[in-house]
Coordinates of all heavy atoms in Angstrom, one line a residue:
Q25 N 163.1 -100.9 16.5 CA 161.7 -100.6 17.1 C 161.5 -101.4 18.4 O 162.1 -102.4 18.6 CB 160.6 -101.0 16.1 CG 160.6 -100.0 14.9 CD 159.5 -100.3 14.0 OE1 158.9 -101.4 14.0 NE2 159.1 -99.4 13.1
H26 N 160.7 -100.8 19.2 CA 160.3 -101.4 20.4 C 159.6 -102.7 20.2 O 158.8 -102.8 19.3 CB 159.3 -100.4 21.1 CG 159.3 -100.5 22.6 ND1 160.3 -100.2 23.4 CD2 158.2 -100.8 23.4 CE1 160.0 -100.4 24.6 NE2 158.7 -100.8 24.7
F27 N 159.9 -103.7 21.0 CA 159.3 -105.0 20.9 C 157.8 -105.0 21.3 O 157.5 -104.3 22.2 CB 160.1 -105.9 21.8 CG 159.8 -107.3 21.8 CD1 160.2 -108.1 20.7 CD2 159.2 -107.9 22.9 CE1 159.9 -109.5 20.7 CE2 158.9 -109.3 22.9 CZ 159.2 -110.1 21.8
D109 N 166.2 -103.7 20.8 CA 166.7 -102.6 21.5 C 167.1 -103.0 22.9 O 167.6 -102.1 23.7 CB 165.7 -101.4 21.5 CG 164.4 -101.7 22.2 OD1 164.3 -102.7 22.8 OD2 163.5 -100.8 22.1
H111 N 165.3 -103.7 25.5 CA 164.3 -103.3 26.5 C 163.4 -104.5 26.9 O 163.0 -105.2 26.0 CB 163.4 -102.2 26.1 CG 164.1 -100.9 25.8 ND1 163.6 -99.9 25.0 CD2 165.3 -100.5 26.1 CE1 164.4 -98.9 24.9 NE2 165.5 -99.2 25.5
V113 N 160.0 -105.9 27.7 CA 158.6 -105.4 27.5 C 157.7 -106.5 28.1 O 157.9 -107.7 27.8 CB 158.3 -105.2 26.0 CG1 156.9 -104.8 25.8 CG2 159.3 -104.2 25.3
Ligands
CU201 CU1 162.2 -100.6 23.5

Side-chain angles (χ1 to χ4, degrees):
Q25 287 183 345
H26 205 65
F27 185 72
D109 66 6
H111 298 160
V113 180

